[in-house]
Amino acid sequence: MQPQQPYQNPYDFINNPTKPKAPVLGGGGSMGMRIAVVGGLFVLLIAIGIAAKSFLAGGSNVPNLTIVAQDQAEVARVANIPVQGQQQAVQQESTLDFAVTCAMSTASD
């Protein structure tokens, strides 16, 4: 003998239909939700465009960075002159203190 199964109405899908979920951009969503989704997609599209533009741009700032590095090296060289024992050129203690501070800060960069 086969096990008994509970009674199941074969037309239950007609009598008790499940409600389908409304799509976000479809007819079931609220106006505020639609505006939020479209606005979010617009912002995402702008961000992708900016990223693509920055990747496709061919310019680089290496020459400018080279100039900055050269200037920094020259400042460090000039600041180290009084610190390295050539203090006869420095007449004021505050100037020597400034030179030491400048030499230490450029060395740490």
Side-chain angles (χ1 to χ4, degrees), residues 9-49:
N9 186 358
Y11 302 106
D12 197 31
F13 67 96
I14 296 174
N15 295 333
N16 298 321
T18 59
K19 295 182 180 179
K21 292 183 179 179
V24 176
L25 292 176
S30 67
M31 182 60 83
M33 179 63 98
R34 288 183 195 169
I35 291 172
V37 169
V38 170
L41 290 174
F42 183 70
V43 169
L44 183 66
L45 183 65
I46 288 175
I48 290 172

Side-chain angles (χ1 to χ4, degrees), residues 5-108:
Q5 296 179 355
Y7 174 74
Q8 192 174 26
N9 186 358
Y11 302 106
D12 197 31
F13 67 96
I14 296 174
N15 295 333
N16 298 321
T18 59
K19 295 182 180 179
K21 292 183 179 179
V24 176
L25 292 176
S30 67
M31 182 60 83
M33 179 63 98
R34 288 183 195 169
I35 291 172
V37 169
V38 170
L41 290 174
F42 183 70
V43 169
L44 183 66
L45 183 65
I46 288 175
I48 290 172
I50 290 172
K53 182 181 176 187
S54 68
F55 282 128
L56 296 177
S60 69
N61 58 356
V62 173
N64 295 334
L65 293 176
T66 304
I67 292 170
V68 169
Q70 289 171 347
D71 289 344
Q72 185 177 9
E74 181 63 17
V75 168
R77 185 190 70 79
V78 171
N80 280 327
I81 290 174
V83 178
Q84 294 174 346
Q86 301 172 353
Q87 296 175 356
Q88 66 273 13
V90 178
Q91 297 177 0
Q92 293 183 354
E93 187 68 26
S94 63
T95 305
L96 181 62
D97 292 342
F98 176 73
V100 170
T101 303
C102 188
M104 296 296 271
S105 66
T106 54
S108 67

